[in-house]
Amino acid sequence: MRPGRLGELFGIALPVVQGPFGGGLSSVELTAAVSEGGGLGSYGAHILSPEEITDLVARLKARTRRPFGVNLWVPLEDEAALRPTDTELAAHRARLKPYYDELGVTPPTAADLAAARPDYEAQVDALLAAEPAAVSLVMGLPSRHLVAEARRLGISLIGTATTVEEAVALEQSGVDAIVASGSDAGGHRGAFLRPVRESLVGTFSLVPQVADAVSVPVIAAGGIADGRGVTAALALGADAVQIGTGFLATRESGASEVHRRTLGTPESRTTVLTRLFSGRTARGIPNLFVRDMAAYEDEVPPYPVQNALMQPIRRAAAAAGRADCVNLWAGQAAALARTETTAAEYLAKLVEESTSATATTAG
């Protein structure tokens, strides 16, 4: 398993990027462990304030001298202007009232919803000032300001594409590498040129097409959880892989115990796309909440309103060990995940399995 062009870009020993988990699923411990193990650790910071981002990068630099990345969500154009009326907000809260009552939590107020909107430009400025080795983005293109400042500071930019057209647009915008995120991937879908339903390309269909279409390094993401997947992605033209669910299952991740316990089980063989937890489409393991609320998939408000409405429910369910009401983000290879392992052990197993798979293919 050679580091390839991504190794040249970051000086890493393994062509492995840890998926940047949002919503509190990332941890400093996991990010540092992956970087120390020879990969590129990553941290999802889209819900953090600028001050929290400054503190985060400082803590990461204190834990590892190796390169790491920090991820932000590019806001969609209509999200900043989203302001539900009092009547609409009351209807959305009423829909979730049984869950608020059952878990003993208070529904968020209109003021809570307003406070839940991150200031993306301020996040960018804080991240540039903190100077991590890499800034990665999902759901859009970097601004000219971000590209120019990143180049001036020596920060590498990684964009995320769900289609070939998005990959081409990202290269033209000036990113240094592109994550080709297949529809197999867990968590939120990052489509930004077309609707999600028109951007569901499987990883092993997407990767060779993106590799043919762009000249920058390509990182394959989605449905890769063991060394066989790594070998296959590299054979299809990827320079590296990005693994999310596999690292989410490790001891250092910020996932709740109930979430980790679900990964690597027969139950995790089934995943669905849902808007119910955040208002944006994401892939996860279906549970009682997803099934009971399925009829409202098209009625819940967009992100960040639905995300804020669901936050008290998600947090209380995770704290109580309630798998029936928490978002169990997972990719389509979740059943291959290994629980009760450390990030270092998982990396070592990926290398071992990839070497074996490569030898078998060559033979």
Side-chain angles (χ1 to χ4, degrees):
M1 189 192 290
R2 298 188 179 92
R5 289 195 293 170
L6 208 69
E8 297 171 7
L9 184 62
F10 292 111
I12 56 178
L14 300 174
V16 177
V17 178
Q18 172 230 320
F21 315 122
L25 299 181
S26 288
S27 75
V28 169
E29 292 74 22
L30 177 58
T31 304
V34 174
S35 291
E36 287 291 303
L40 184 70
S42 305
Y43 195 107
H46 77 274
I47 64 171
L48 301 184
S49 68
E51 295 76 17
E52 289 171 328
I53 287 174
T54 301
D55 177 67
L56 165 68
V57 176
R59 286 188 289 132
L60 284 167
K61 287 183 176 180
R63 290 294 299 269
T64 179
R65 295 185 178 181
R66 305 297 301 158
F68 59 83
V70 179
N71 178 268
L72 294 177
W73 287 13
V74 180
L76 301 180
E77 290 183 8
D78 57 347
E79 287 178 353
L82 187 63
R83 295 288 189 278
T85 66
D86 291 342
T87 301
E88 290 171 335
L89 192 55
H92 296 320
R93 281 196 291 244
R95 184 186 303 126
L96 296 171
K97 186 177 185 302
Y99 301 96
Y100 292 136
D101 292 346
E102 183 178 346
L103 290 163
V105 295
T106 303
T109 65
D112 294 329
L113 297 182
R117 302 172 190 273
D119 185 336
Y120 173 70
E121 298 302 333
Q123 288 177 319
V124 166
D125 288 342
L127 199 46
L128 288 169
E131 296 188 42
V135 171
S136 66
L137 302 173
V138 292
M139 304 182 187
L141 303 172
S143 64
R144 292 181 181 178
H145 166 70
L146 174 53
V147 172
E149 284 300 293
R151 286 178 177 169
R152 183 180 70 82
L153 296 167
I155 299 171
S156 296
L157 283 180
I158 302 174
T160 304
T162 65
T163 65
V164 175
E165 290 78 13
E166 289 178 355
V168 171
L170 282 164
E171 181 174 37
Q172 292 173 345
S173 76
V175 301
D176 300 290
I178 295 171
V179 175
S181 179
S183 57
D184 322 40
H188 286 87
R189 302 303 304 144
F192 59 90
L193 288 184
R194 294 186 181 186
V196 170
R197 66 180 180 276
E198 297 179 18
S199 307
L200 297 174
V201 186
T203 303
F204 294 119
S205 295
L206 180 64
V207 167
Q209 295 182 71
V210 170
D212 286 349
V214 302
S215 60
V216 297
V218 174
I219 305 164
I224 301 169
D226 64 13
R228 294 170 296 181
V230 174
T231 298
L234 298 180
L236 288 171
D239 297 276
V241 298
Q242 178 171 287
I243 297 177
T245 307
F247 281 114
L248 196 63
T250 63
R251 293 176 186 168
E252 294 94 338
S253 96
S256 65
E257 182 62 28
V258 67
H259 192 167
R260 283 200 301 271
R261 210 166 50 233
T262 309
L263 303 175
T265 67
E267 183 183 359
S268 65
R269 292 172 185 159
T270 300
T271 62
V272 297
L273 293 172
T274 178
R275 295 180 59 249
L276 293 171
F277 285 104
S278 72
R280 279 186 173 180
T281 304
R283 181 175 295 283
I285 300 166
N287 55 12
L288 184 64
F289 178 83
V290 171
R291 294 186 173 105
D292 283 353
M293 297 291 286
Y296 302 104
E297 279 283 354
D298 296 329
E299 295 182 30
V300 299
Y303 178 91
V305 175
Q306 178 69 4
N307 191 60
L309 288 167
M310 284 298 299
Q311 189 177 75
I313 294 172
R314 296 196 309 265
R315 288 181 174 175
R322 294 271 304 267
D324 57 341
C325 291
V326 73
N327 48 308
L328 302 170
W329 299 148
Q332 289 187 317
L336 297 175
R338 301 173 178 89
T339 56
E340 299 306 316
T341 187
T342 67
E345 291 167 344
Y346 182 46
L347 277 169
K349 194 66 175 175
L350 287 173
V351 173
E352 176 188 332
E353 290 174 345
S354 180
T355 301
S356 175
T358 302
T360 300
T361 304

